[in-house]
Amino acid sequence: MRELSHRRLAELLDRARAGDREAFDELYRATAPIQYRKALGMLVRPDLAEEAVQESYLTLVKKWEQLHSPQALVAYLNRATYLNCLAILRRQTRQPELREDESLASIPDVDELVQPEEATQGRDEQERLLGALAALPPDQRQAVLLRYCQKLPLAQMAQVMDCSVSTVQRLLGRALSSLQKQMGGLPGVFVGPAVARAMGRLSPSPGTSAPKKGASLRWAAAAVLTVAGVGLGLGVGSRPRIQWAQGERGWRNTPCPVTVATAGPVSTAAFAGEDGAIYPAQRQPDGRFLALLPQNGSYTLTLRSSIGRTAEAQLWVENLDCSPPLVGAVARQNGRTRIPLTDEGAGVDWASVRLTGADGAEHQPVGREGEALLYALPNGGYTLEASDLAGNTLRARVSVFD
């Protein structure tokens, strides 16, 4: 998505505040991918990143009367996305609730189990470790947290980080070497577990005020998680997926209803015809999408998530017939009048054919020869009515003369 100028953003903001939905959609398309990348860097999981971004835009709608410049808009979105990510991280790392027979007072602080000097030393070492972790390059830091905090196997780490297993191994090796040096020669085998212990004791707490005394480790952990782009409770996010798409069977002369079953995060579904026309699908109460396709041909179905991830499939519609039967050349043959009828779609409904004279009398055919009906008719003008099997109706004047 190309970036918009500040002037264009200001124009879209003004129009969106006035209720212009198209302006809001364009503003969203221009700014949401950037916010998604920021959120994904903090949360790793695409579904959580989408949640954070969606919440940012929901609050934007409530607050945009206070925003009077594109710079303020961007700053607001950046801040909102950041705070939403921190809230999700806190939720993901929240500790289990106490049992009814437990109380906070009954649980000693970890630091109370050691002597004051040991507690101080332990806090200093953890702060130094978290500081060293925060100083690592982002990809090395992410590798350490995925491996030792999330306990992910190398193959899944490679999938999350979008790289090869050998690259993951190389990043881990460099990161552990750097941490070992920063920790004063701590044996390499203990570095990873030390990171896991440090992060396991702490959970990030968002806020804007300075940390209270004794809370520095939690704030250090929050900084590491924020910079590293890793939230606890990781998983590989899903993309939109098309489970199946089915059009209504049988010939019809009205747009064909097509039902689409989807999985994963789907924001919109639409069909594009061969001529480029777009036919949106509407979400139904059962969660599926329904579109009405008006003509035969090939369509491209596109599912799109709120942050632009897509899935596509090809679908063909071949059961639409919107044209009535055609009357061929009327001819006399062996004293009979031959009236041919053709229909290239659903076919002629022969039982529907009616031939009426000028006096209103209905004439019945005396036979059928292939795609034509045979009549014994006097000269004159007649009205022919016929339908095809899709329900299209023909009404035409037929003249019979020797």
Side-chain angles (χ1 to χ4, degrees):
M1 172 64 64
R2 62 182 180 87
E3 294 186 4
L4 299 182
S5 66
H6 282 168
R7 177 180 298 179
R8 180 60 175 167
L9 277 178
E11 177 189 340
L12 293 175
L13 179 60
D14 289 340
R15 288 169 50 196
R17 277 200 297 253
D20 188 331
R21 178 58 184 272
E22 291 184 0
F24 178 81
D25 289 346
E26 184 177 350
L27 186 150
Y28 179 86
R29 290 193 299 268
T31 57
I34 297 174
Q35 297 304 316
Y36 173 74
R37 288 194 293 271
K38 292 177 183 291
L40 189 62
M42 291 183 67
L43 301 172
V44 173
R45 286 176 50 180
D47 58 330
L48 295 181
E50 289 188 21
E51 178 184 339
V53 172
Q54 290 175 354
E55 187 63 29
S56 296
Y57 284 87
L58 287 175
T59 57
L60 170 66
V61 173
K62 301 175 183 178
K63 298 288 187 180
W64 60 17
E65 291 298 335
Q66 305 172 20
L67 306 175
H68 302 291
S69 71
Q71 292 88 344
L73 168 67
V74 173
Y76 178 85
L77 287 174
N78 289 342
R79 181 65 176 167
T81 300
Y82 172 74
L83 292 178
N84 290 334
C85 289
L86 287 185
I88 291 173
L89 285 173
R90 181 169 58 177
R91 184 186 72 202
Q92 292 294 306
T93 56
R94 187 172 296 141
Q95 297 298 319
E97 295 182 357
L98 297 175
R99 299 192 306 269
E100 292 183 0
D101 58 347
E102 292 180 333
S103 68
L104 289 175
S106 68
I107 301 177
D109 187 87
V110 175
D111 290 340
E112 294 179 5
L113 302 179
V114 296
Q115 296 300 315
E117 295 83 4
E118 294 175 345
T120 301
Q121 183 181 7
R123 283 196 295 270
D124 290 343
E125 288 180 353
Q126 288 189 65
E127 288 191 24
R128 189 164 70 252
L129 176 58
L130 292 172
L133 189 59
L136 289 175
D139 52 357
Q140 293 183 26
R141 185 167 49 244
Q142 184 180 16
V144 170
L145 294 177
L146 287 172
R147 182 63 170 172
Y148 295 104
C149 295
Q150 299 305 308
K151 310 298 184 184
L152 294 187
L154 294 177
Q156 190 172 355
M157 289 175 61
Q159 187 175 11
V160 170
M161 299 179 70
D162 194 22
C163 63
S164 65
V165 172
S166 61
T167 298
V168 169
Q169 292 173 321
R170 184 171 61 255
L171 291 172
L172 275 175
R174 291 175 179 174
L176 294 178
S177 177
S178 296
L179 291 175
Q180 185 180 8
K181 292 178 182 178
Q182 292 294 323
M183 294 303 294
L186 178 69
V189 69
F190 297 129
V191 174
V195 170
R197 285 195 300 273
M199 299 302 298
R201 291 184 55 196
L202 308 168
S203 61
S205 300
T208 55
S209 60
K212 297 179 180 179
K213 185 178 180 179
S216 59
L217 286 180
R218 275 191 290 273
W219 278 72
V224 170
L225 286 172
T226 299
V227 177
V230 177
L232 302 183
L234 293 175
V236 179
S238 60
R239 293 176 176 270
R241 299 191 303 280
I242 301 169
Q243 293 182 316
W244 51 263
Q246 178 66 59
E248 188 170 303
R249 298 182 182 277
W251 287 101
R252 56 188 302 111
N253 61 0
T254 57
C256 181
V258 178
T259 301
V260 181
T262 67
V266 180
S267 177
T268 62
F271 289 85
E274 295 173 339
D275 58 357
I278 302 298
Y279 305 96
Q282 303 299 322
R283 191 186 295 273
Q284 303 302 296
D286 62 2
R288 297 172 180 172
F289 286 85
L290 177 66
L292 299 176
L293 303 184
Q295 58 192 19
N296 291 329
S298 171
Y299 293 85
T300 300
L301 167 62
T302 301
L303 304 184
R304 190 177 301 276
S305 72
S306 61
I307 47 79
R309 290 173 177 259
T310 60
E312 291 189 349
Q314 206 76 14
L315 181 140
W316 285 264
V317 173
E318 299 176 334
N319 63 335
L320 293 180
D321 179 2
C322 299
S323 300
L326 299 176
V327 183
V330 177
R332 290 279 200 175
Q333 184 178 349
N334 300 324
R336 298 289 186 261
T337 300
R338 187 176 186 274
I339 303 178
L341 288 168
T342 59
D343 188 272
E344 294 182 356
V348 176
D349 179 5
W350 295 102
S352 71
V353 179
R354 299 288 185 272
L355 187 67
T356 307
D359 57 359
E362 183 176 335
H363 297 265
Q364 299 297 325
V366 296
R368 178 177 165 188
E369 187 179 86
E371 297 297 302
L373 293 176
L374 302 178
Y375 290 88
L377 300 174
N379 291 340
Y382 298 87
T383 299
L384 176 67
E385 295 177 287
S387 299
D388 62 17
L389 295 174
N392 301 296
T393 300
L394 162 74
R395 183 181 176 89
R397 292 290 295 170
V398 174
S399 299
V400 177
F401 296 100
D402 290 329

